[in-house]
Amino acid sequence: MTIRLPAALGAAVLTFGLWSATPRAHEGHDHGDAGKSAPAAQAPRGTSSTDGLELVAVARNGTVTVFVDRVSTNEPVTDASVTAETPEGTATVTAAADGSYRLDAHWSEKPGEYDVPFTVTTNGASDTFPVTLTVPVPPVAPAGAGTPAWAAGLAVAHDFRQHLGQADPLAMIIGGAGFLLGVVVTLLVRGRRLAPALGILVLAAGLLFGPPAFAHEEHDHGESAATGMPMASAGAQDLAQRMPDGSVFVPKPTQRILTVRTIVTASDLLARTTELPGRIIADPNGSGVVQSSVGGRLSPPASEAFPRLGTRVKKGEVLATVTPPVQAVDVSDMRQRQGELDQQITIMERRVDRFRKLAPGGSVSQVQLDDAQAELKGLTDRRVALDGVRQQPEALVAPVSGVVAEANAVAGQMASPGAMVFHIVDPARLWVEALSFDALASTQDATARLADGRVLTLKYMGAGLADRSQAVPMHFAVQDAPAELRTGQFVTVLAATDTQQKGLALPRASVVRGSNGQNIVYEHTQPERFEPREVQVEPLDATRLLVVSGVSPGKRIVTQGAELLNQVR
């Protein structure tokens, strides 16, 4: 196999070029992880707080934006009077439409450190907030970003020279000897071919002295040591982000968009609660069923339409009619009975006419005439009632006022005796039936939570003495039942017990799930920083949880917006 000298030299030069383009770092320099995205920069800002208020000042584009919030709840203070002692003198900070305050500060566009005390007056009380704003020097663009080719070449040469100056001579001698030994072995094996030997020599020189992108002292490509984030100019845009330590940085404008609210935790002696499965049922005194006492064919009422589901009806209103069927044998008996009655009626009519003629002459007493008339009337009534059996249907009326919850009426349908045709429920009078697998002695009121998170206030009505599926049924009346509540809906009832436990009460919205499935809450440690805290919780009622461990009293815990903070990456 013949290898030409130009080809070997070309391969060596190509290897030299590729190796020189590979970035390496040495002492005093850190390029960082190439696979990581750089954290978002923060605009120059300063914070200060008192026992009741906290203030955040952000410098951007020659304007200082001031945010004033309450420490305990994180609610914005929009009706305060704010003044500032700036390098140009005392200035009044004007209120903006978004609830913040703006100060024209052209001095903030120049790099430097500025001490700006703010005075906030609200509700007749004044507080002073000392704030230090540090405006950094704008970062210098890299050599490859819009710089001339000759300047980039000088930078590479300077780095290469610096690399040679800082390299360890002993290490270079040992490495060179190793490469030369490899060259000698290769020449001996290949029969002293000069072209491959020359190519290997050039390759070794390139690998040993190739000028990659080296950094040296006074170069700063990394992050700010003070904040862990790149320094930004005064016009930088703030973004919510999760920090390397797990905390979340959320600028004040973002907090107000997310409506983040907090409370200060306080320990208290609270009653332990238990969760019971339950479902919505109708109040027995506010509901009723419409049934047919006899079997027959269903027909709509005089309005010629059955009431639809959701139709509001009144007590005593006719909802349907049932016409009982008449069998062939019954028809024959009825006709025979009708014939007998017709015959008796005819005989009695003639007798009454005869008695009327004889009564004036005294041949028939008035008593006999009256008896004959009474007997005629009785026969006539029996004949009319016999006709009504075949023609008069049974009217199905509403037993209570309410809304039609169930309807099984179809025109022409045969209704069985005792079958439910309509179910009427008063939506303002609903109960909850819960099943307790433990004998609860407490008769206190409870709360219930629906699947969508809504809360119902319950009033204890009673408990059964007989077990149902090894559970004791308990009844609660729903107070101020919402209109969209339906019978049969499943709820979770939280009933208080006689056992008490010491802990912290937090809204259920405060507790969220972490990435590992652990319950966490977010503590407001700084005006724009939130730190997650793992907690152990137990149910307290439909709206609150009992924090047993993980958070101590006096901490500011997020009660609104915790789920949104948990999504920040």
Side-chain angles (χ1 to χ4, degrees):
M1 179 179 180
T2 302
I3 301 178
R4 297 183 178 178
L5 180 59
L9 292 176
V13 172
L14 178 60
T15 306
F16 175 82
L18 294 175
W19 178 257
S20 63
T22 305
R24 288 190 304 195
H26 56 80
E27 183 180 357
H29 178 81
D30 183 12
H31 282 283
D33 191 352
K36 291 183 179 179
S37 59
Q42 295 181 6
R45 62 207 321 109
T47 63
S48 182
S49 62
T50 62
D51 293 338
L53 301 175
E54 62 183 11
L55 182 144
V56 177
V58 182
R60 180 181 291 110
N61 297 330
T63 301
V64 174
T65 305
V66 180
F67 301 91
V68 182
D69 299 307
R70 302 194 183 278
V71 172
S72 58
T73 62
N74 201 43
E75 294 179 350
V77 178
T78 59
D79 57 350
S81 176
V82 184
T83 59
E85 296 293 336
T86 69
E88 298 176 353
T90 304
T92 301
V93 186
T94 58
D98 58 355
S100 61
Y101 302 87
R102 304 294 172 84
L103 172 64
D104 292 333
H106 301 290
W107 46 266
S108 64
E109 296 179 341
K110 301 178 182 180
E113 185 174 301
Y114 303 96
D115 293 329
V116 184
F118 290 89
T119 302
V120 178
T121 303
T122 176
N123 297 329
S126 299
D127 292 314
T128 301
F129 298 85
V131 174
T132 300
L133 289 174
T134 301
V135 180
V137 178
V140 181
T147 58
W150 61 269
L154 289 178
V156 172
H158 174 71
D159 284 342
F160 179 57
R161 176 183 174 185
Q162 190 76 13
H163 170 68
L164 292 179
Q166 295 181 353
D168 188 0
L170 181 59
M172 295 180 61
I173 294 173
I174 296 176
F179 277 111
L180 292 177
L181 181 59
V183 172
V184 172
V185 174
T186 303
L187 293 176
L188 293 176
V189 173
R190 294 183 175 269
R192 300 181 180 273
R193 295 181 181 177
L194 297 180
L198 184 58
I200 294 175
L201 285 175
V202 176
L203 176 60
L207 294 177
L208 184 59
F209 302 105
F214 296 104
H216 53 84
E217 295 179 1
E218 302 178 358
H219 279 193
D220 184 11
H221 302 290
E223 298 177 348
S224 172
T227 63
M229 301 179 61
M231 298 300 294
S233 62
Q237 181 181 5
D238 296 332
L239 298 176
Q241 56 186 309
R242 189 171 295 274
M243 310 303 292
D245 59 355
S247 62
V248 180
F249 169 77
V250 183
K252 277 298 180 181
T254 306
Q255 292 184 34
R256 297 190 176 186
I257 293 175
L258 301 181
T259 319
V260 178
R261 296 292 180 266
T262 62
I263 62 170
V264 179
T265 58
S267 179
D268 196 2
L269 194 61
L270 304 170
R272 186 185 293 272
T273 60
T274 180
E275 293 186 355
L276 308 175
R279 64 185 182 93
I280 304 296
I281 63 174
D283 184 354
N285 300 318
S287 63
V289 295
V290 179
Q291 296 175 323
S292 174
S293 59
V294 296
R297 193 175 301 279
L298 284 175
S299 300
S303 60
E304 298 183 357
F306 293 112
R308 303 183 304 274
L309 289 175
T311 303
R312 183 170 290 276
V313 297
K314 297 182 179 180
K315 183 179 179 179
E317 182 179 346
V318 178
L319 307 180
T321 59
V322 178
T323 304
V326 181
Q327 303 295 332
V329 176
D330 297 336
V331 172
S332 177
D333 293 342
M334 291 174 62
R335 288 179 179 176
Q336 181 180 356
R337 187 58 180 165
Q338 287 175 352
E340 294 176 357
L341 291 175
D342 292 341
Q343 183 180 1
Q344 293 177 7
I345 290 173
T346 302
I347 294 175
M348 289 304 300
E349 288 177 349
R350 292 177 181 178
R351 184 180 297 179
V352 169
D353 291 341
R354 185 169 60 252
F355 284 173
R356 285 175 179 173
K357 293 178 181 180
L358 297 177
S363 301
V364 177
S365 64
Q366 187 64 30
V367 175
Q368 291 177 333
L369 177 60
D370 294 340
D371 291 344
Q373 290 177 347
E375 185 176 356
L376 177 60
K377 185 177 182 305
L379 292 173
T380 304
D381 293 342
R382 290 169 60 186
R383 181 67 176 80
V384 173
L386 187 62
D387 291 340
V389 172
R390 300 182 57 187
Q391 300 177 358
Q392 184 68 29
E394 178 187 6
L396 303 182
V397 298
V400 295
S401 298
V403 174
V404 178
E406 295 184 37
N408 301 318
V410 179
Q413 177 184 357
M414 295 298 296
S416 302
M420 185 184 67
V421 182
F422 296 100
H423 184 201
I424 302 173
V425 175
D426 187 353
R429 303 171 62 181
L430 296 176
W431 284 14
V432 172
E433 183 182 57
L435 298 179
S436 174
F437 296 92
D438 297 325
L440 298 179
S442 176
T443 58
Q444 300 179 2
D445 297 342
T447 54
R449 187 175 67 254
L450 297 174
D452 56 2
R454 288 179 298 171
V455 178
L456 304 177
T457 303
L458 306 180
K459 181 180 180 181
Y460 178 79
M461 302 301 295
L465 297 177
D467 288 350
R468 181 187 303 175
S469 301
Q470 300 182 352
V472 178
M474 303 179 65
H475 284 173
F476 300 89
V478 180
Q479 303 294 316
D480 300 328
E484 59 274 11
L485 202 61
R486 298 290 183 267
T487 58
Q489 281 184 270
F490 291 100
V491 297
T492 300
V493 179
L494 293 101
T497 63
D498 297 333
T499 306
Q500 292 186 335
Q501 184 175 359
K502 190 174 183 180
L504 308 175
L506 288 179
R508 288 182 174 266
S510 299
V511 182
V512 295
R513 292 281 186 181
S515 57
N516 58 351
Q518 177 70 29
N519 292 325
I520 62 174
V521 297
Y522 280 92
E523 179 184 353
H524 196 183
T525 56
Q526 297 179 16
E528 296 182 312
R529 188 178 293 265
F530 301 84
E531 297 184 9
R533 301 282 187 251
E534 294 185 356
V535 293
Q536 180 183 357
V537 297
E538 293 182 1
L540 185 59
D541 53 36
T543 59
R544 299 181 300 168
L545 291 173
L546 179 65
V547 179
V548 180
S549 63
V551 176
S552 59
K555 302 297 184 181
R556 293 191 296 168
I557 302 301
V558 176
T559 59
Q560 183 177 343
E563 187 66 32
L564 299 176
L565 294 180
N566 200 36
Q567 302 299 323
V568 176
R569 295 294 181 264

